[in-house]
């Protein structure tokens, strides 16, 4: 990792966020890319014999840098906000906290206008809501793999998409008026993603992505290469 990348990482460590969109085009001598990301995802979380619809929203930053000719590593995280429907202990609550994780991106095949890539990421999220009568803490981990393709429609406009596979495992801890610990999960399943990535200036990008499968939702990101 270069000195510039290390300084950037230290600056954003309190508010890391997941890397966003496809990798920026490879150019000799260019440094890491930094992203600002806004994400909303919905999923049913299993609580034993019951399931509650859960909405998770993220705001944060990310840092990615090449670690080899065809491999790029990233660190991410940021603020997290969670609401649920139907769960008595979280009724009317917005739980807030953080998420953080790391990612690995690899290029399988690459040509002038198309490329095939894979990605692995691992995310940890923890949110809570505390009052005089009740404290609720929810945390979960989310490993996921992706396989996708990028197509350059024009010099500044890229379309990308592919398939994904992942799972969610976690725990809800309640103390106060009610005291209990419950295992929560989302069984392993496949899904897909589609996105558009626009190069707004020589080093700036903006994009939008939608997802189905483990979660359903979308994101908007703003990215810059240094």
């Amino acid at each position: 990792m270069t000195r510039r990348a290390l300084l950037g990482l230290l600056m954003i460590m309190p508010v890391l966020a997941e890397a966003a969109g496809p990798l920026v085009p490879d150019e000799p001598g260019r440094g890491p890319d930094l992203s600002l990301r806004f994400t909303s995802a919905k999923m049913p979380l299993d609580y034993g014999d019951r399931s509650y619809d859960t909405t998770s929203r993220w705001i944060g930053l990310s840092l990615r840098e090449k670690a080899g000719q065809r491999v790029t590593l990233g660190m991410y995280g940021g603020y997290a906000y969670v609401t649920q429907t139907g769960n008595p202990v979280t009724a009317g609550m917005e739980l807030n906290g953080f998420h953080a994780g790391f990612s690995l991106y690899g290029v399988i095949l690459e040509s002038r206008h198309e490329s095939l890539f894979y990605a692995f990421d691992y995310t940890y999220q923890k949110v809570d809501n505390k009052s005089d009568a009740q404290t609720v803490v929810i945390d979960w981990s989310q490993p996921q793999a992706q396989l996708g393709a990028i197509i350059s429609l024009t010099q500044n406009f890229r379309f990308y998409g592919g398939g994904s596979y992942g799972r969610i495992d976690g725990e809800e801890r309640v103390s106060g008026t009610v005291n209990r610990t419950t295992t929560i999960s989302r069984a392993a399943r496949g899904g897909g993603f589609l996105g558009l990535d626009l190069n707004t200036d020589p080093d700036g990008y903006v994009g939008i992505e939608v997802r189905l499968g483990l979660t359903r939702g979308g994101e908007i990101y703003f990215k810059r290469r240094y």
Side-chain angles (χ1 to χ4, degrees), residues 115-142:
S115 63
L116 182 66
F117 69 92
Y118 64 89
F120 301 99
D121 58 76
Y122 178 89
T123 305
Y124 174 76
Q125 174 171 287
K126 182 177 181 180
V127 294
D128 61 43
N129 185 286
K130 298 179 180 180
S131 67
D132 294 338
Q134 193 79 57
T135 295
V136 181
V137 180
I138 297 176
D139 65 347
W140 71 66
S141 60
Q142 181 177 327

Side-chain angles (χ1 to χ4, degrees), residues 6 47 100 122 159 167-168 190:
L6 179 59
Y47 282 64
Y122 178 89
F159 170 81
R167 64 174 295 126
I168 295 174

Side-chain angles (χ1 to χ4, degrees), residues 41-86:
K42 296 182 179 181
M43 76 291 287
L45 288 179
D46 295 328
Y47 282 64
D49 59 349
R50 296 187 178 185
S51 181
Y52 300 122
D53 286 337
T54 303
T55 299
S56 179
R57 296 181 177 88
W58 293 354
I59 301 173
L61 299 174
S62 72
L63 181 70
R64 296 189 301 197
E65 185 172 20
K66 288 181 68 66
Q69 184 177 358
R70 291 181 174 268
V71 176
T72 297
L73 300 179
M75 297 184 65
Y76 60 88
Y79 298 106
Y81 308 87
V82 169
T83 57
Q84 290 186 312
T85 301

